[in-house]
Amino acid sequence: RARLCHVDATDVSQDLEKVLFTSDQIQARIDEVASQIDADYEGRDILLVGVLNGAVMVMSDLQRAMRSHVEMDWMAVSSYGAGTQSSGVVRILKDLNADLEGRDVIVVEDIIDTGLTLSYLMSNLASRGPASLEIMTMFRKPDAAQMEVPVKYVGFEIPNEFVVGYGLDYAGRYRNLRDVGTLAKHVYS
Ligand code: XMP
Ligand code: MG
């Protein structure tokens, strides 16, 4: 159990079985990655491209931890095919407002699992002529990788388990948890 707070009202954190990363650990790691990006892009304007909805929290925290000039834009994508398995064929539900031509772009993701979604997205974005194109992801599951995606900035590598919190959802829920962890069995049944 994440937090044993005995309240009558619903407390979604009580549905966590195991906390993998606390809010403090996540924020500390975000600060490190932000400093790294600032150092790497010294003097350049950065366009952060977030993938909705999962990247909302990391996008928000990352850019506030950065000292560079930074702009943000958003995409929404959906995998073709049913179920929780990524098919690798991606439909763009909402495209960027920004023109990527000549821009220093960093794609901001919540999690990379198989890598299929991002692999498609990267070739799509690369074709728009950015000056540079890199990836920052908060979490990555190395054991689930089916597609080699070159990721420059990784928050944490995690085991091949389904996790929620900090933007990551199960059926649309649990994105609002500050900690990241695995869900208790009773949630699935
Ligand atoms: P692929 O497999 O294409 O998928 O890299 C990436 C997308 O799948 C979702 N995903 C997760 N969502 N907990 C979640 O809440 C997880 O453990 C998880 N693994 C993958 C997520 O939307 C990600 O962008
Ligand atoms: Mg996502």
Side-chain angles (χ1 to χ4, degrees):
R1 280 279 144 109
R3 293 185 186 115
L4 290 170
C5 30
H6 300 281
V7 289
D8 292 328
T10 301
D11 178 353
V12 295
S13 70
Q14 295 205 18
D15 288 348
L16 284 186
E17 179 181 78
K18 183 176 70 191
V19 171
L20 294 180
F21 301 99
T22 65
S23 175
D24 287 349
Q25 289 174 308
I26 292 168
Q27 294 306 318
R29 184 67 189 127
I30 285 274
D31 285 348
E32 289 176 357
V33 174
S35 302
Q36 177 79 59
I37 295 175
D38 283 338
D40 291 349
Y41 288 78
E42 211 184 332
R44 287 146 76 191
D45 278 29
I46 301 168
L47 177 65
L48 297 178
V49 166
V51 184
L52 293 168
N53 294 321
V56 166
M57 309 303 175
V58 53
M59 177 72 113
S60 165
D61 287 336
L62 180 72
Q63 65 180 297
R64 285 181 292 177
M66 288 170 65
R67 292 290 165 262
S68 309
H69 284 295
V70 64
E71 294 166 48
M72 72 169 159
D73 202 350
W74 296 95
M75 282 184 95
V77 300
S78 129
S79 283
Y80 278 116
T84 53
Q85 282 293 81
S86 210
S87 66
V89 184
V90 172
R91 191 159 52 108
I92 294 176
L93 302 178
K94 185 227 171 287
D95 206 343
L96 298 171
N97 296 327
D99 182 357
L100 298 192
E101 185 74 43
R103 302 295 308 265
D104 287 308
V105 176
I106 303 177
V107 175
V108 177
E109 262 284 24
D110 50 355
I111 192 163
I112 301 176
D113 191 332
T114 62
L116 292 168
T117 307
L118 205 49
S119 159
Y120 174 91
L121 212 55
M122 288 302 276
S123 43
N124 180 297
L125 297 178
S127 73
R128 306 183 192 194
S132 67
L133 180 62
E134 300 291 353
I135 299 166
M136 183 275 164
T137 186
M138 195 61 222
F139 301 102
R140 181 169 61 178
K141 297 178 183 173
D143 298 340
Q146 290 179 23
M147 209 78 173
E148 204 50 54
V149 195
V151 186
K152 188 147 184 196
Y153 307 101
V154 179
F156 298 107
E157 303 214 313
I158 63 169
N160 196 3
E161 289 182 277
F162 195 81
V163 294
V164 297
Y166 199 63
L168 293 160
D169 72 301
Y170 172 66
R173 293 173 155 184
Y174 303 105
R175 294 190 198 277
N176 56 327
L177 286 173
R178 290 179 187 272
D179 300 334
V180 165
T182 55
L183 279 172
K185 299 279 175 292
H186 72 84
V187 176
Y188 296 105
S189 48

